[in-house]
Amino acid sequence: MYGILVWPPEELGAFLRELQRQHRVRGFGPPHLNLRQPFEWEHGEESLKKAVQGILRSHAPFRLRLGGWGSFPQGVVYLRAYGGTPFRKLHHALEPLASPLKEIEGPSYIPHLTLALGLSPEAAADLLRVLPLPHYKSFVVREAALVQDAADGSLVEVARFPFSG
């Protein structure tokens, strides 16, 4: 399984990892923002790198604003993110690359950084009440990472692609 994502700035990533440690929760891999749903690729990793690079080269860096905490009914607690038109264009440009493994986002995808997965609705609501907001209000997204899931459930970075459009 592959993914295309944005790593948060180190300070924000450390803040999110510390919250995960304090509240004994976790997401899928380190905190990140998905640019598209996870997918399978059967045509070789080099061709995937070229395809992703070809899509990303026409996109310029953009500012991602951070909102408040929220939750999805599936027991996911997340930090909301807003990228406006540049994010939507990038997200839509990456969707045709390959079919998603599981249709979980659909056309109404909400950009976010996941803090916790697999919580009961009550546990998610309890967690939302105590989470502080990060000091970060926004950051500039300058690159995307192509990642693959490892056998141990971690994410392995395959390549990074700077935006240059």
Side-chain angles (χ1 to χ4, degrees):
M1 176 177 72
Y2 287 95
I4 303 169
L5 54 83
V6 170
W7 299 118
E10 182 52 41
E11 185 181 327
L12 177 58
F15 170 79
L16 295 169
R17 289 188 302 275
E18 178 58 21
L19 287 177
Q20 288 175 324
R21 188 193 65 73
Q22 286 175 8
H23 297 283
R24 296 186 175 109
V25 295
R26 53 176 285 210
F28 188 77
H32 61 273
L33 175 108
N34 282 333
L35 292 176
R36 64 147 295 142
Q37 293 183 78
F39 60 96
E40 292 290 343
W41 185 264
E42 300 172 4
H43 309 292
E45 199 165 271
E46 286 306 312
S47 69
L48 176 57
K49 287 179 190 177
K50 287 178 183 175
V52 172
Q53 185 176 31
I55 293 169
L56 296 179
R57 91 170 41 125
S58 64
H59 292 271
F62 62 94
R63 183 159 296 279
L64 191 74
R65 291 182 308 107
L66 300 175
W69 294 104
S71 66
F72 296 126
Q74 306 86 350
V76 175
V77 173
Y78 63 87
L79 182 62
R80 181 71 159 91
Y82 300 89
T85 300
F87 177 86
R88 279 191 302 281
K89 285 182 177 178
L90 179 57
H91 179 73
H92 291 302
L94 289 165
E95 278 300 306
L97 186 63
S99 297
L101 280 176
K102 180 179 173 187
E103 185 59 54
I104 53 176
E105 295 168 357
S108 59
Y109 175 64
I110 296 174
H112 64 279
L113 292 109
T114 300
L115 183 75
L117 293 171
L119 301 179
S120 70
E122 298 80 18
D126 290 345
L127 183 57
L128 284 172
R129 283 193 280 278
V130 300
L131 290 172
L133 289 173
H135 297 292
Y136 262 89
K137 300 298 179 212
S138 69
F139 63 93
V140 176
V141 176
R142 300 182 194 288
E143 63 185 5
L146 174 64
V147 298
Q148 185 174 32
D149 67 325
D152 65 0
S154 64
L155 295 177
V156 176
E157 186 172 304
V158 174
R160 280 197 194 192
F161 305 100
F163 299 153
S164 58

